[in-house]
Amino acid sequence: RREAFHLASSWVDSMSPSSPRWDSAEAVASLMADLALRRAQLGELWRLRRGDAAGPASAEGLEGQLSGAGIDVSRALAALDELMPRAAASGAREADWRVLEAHARAEQAASRRMGGAAAFAAALALGGMAAYASQ
């Protein structure tokens, strides 16, 4: 319980002051989406560590993402060893793969948008410097 509270409060504390309020539908939806992603990541990492064939994400990549989100991966995997008969259930892995693949697509789209914005900003800056230099 204490760890779940700590994780939730860390997530809330990391929210920007300009973000929607915690009690807003957007913030709740964001928290639920993040929890679904972390559950899928942990489930897949647990399966990979138990010898299942590779899926859409590597064990190293999953571990890095989970650690980066503040999750104690060793403790989480130990807990899953005790609690995880559902992870072996038919269809659970495919459901996790869908979540992981959707997240990867969203990150790629965001990266492309950021790349386009960065290129636009660079072009704007270069144009401004060129105009300044020509004066």
Side-chain angles (χ1 to χ4, degrees), residues 13-132:
D13 290 343
S14 70
M15 292 176 66
S16 165
S18 62
S19 294
R21 290 177 31 118
W22 166 242
D23 60 353
S24 74
E26 291 172 13
V28 172
S30 179
L31 175 61
M32 297 307 291
D34 189 62
L35 290 173
L37 172 63
R38 303 304 170 208
R39 188 207 54 78
Q41 289 171 327
L42 278 168
E44 182 63 7
L45 180 58
W46 180 80
R47 290 182 200 95
L48 292 173
R49 293 287 167 92
R50 294 179 54 89
D52 284 11
S58 70
E60 295 79 22
L62 292 168
E63 189 168 347
Q65 291 171 346
L66 290 164
S67 294
I71 295 171
D72 183 339
V73 176
S74 298
R75 289 184 71 188
L77 291 174
L80 291 180
D81 282 336
E82 295 176 23
L83 304 171
M84 206 55 174
R86 289 185 308 151
S90 175
R93 189 168 196 206
E94 291 77 15
D96 287 348
W97 284 6
R98 285 191 295 275
V99 171
L100 296 173
E101 290 167 343
H103 177 71
R105 284 191 303 274
E107 280 188 330
Q108 290 170 351
S111 177
R112 284 193 298 273
R113 284 192 303 271
M114 291 302 293
F120 178 74
L124 208 62
L126 289 174
M129 288 190 296
Y132 178 76

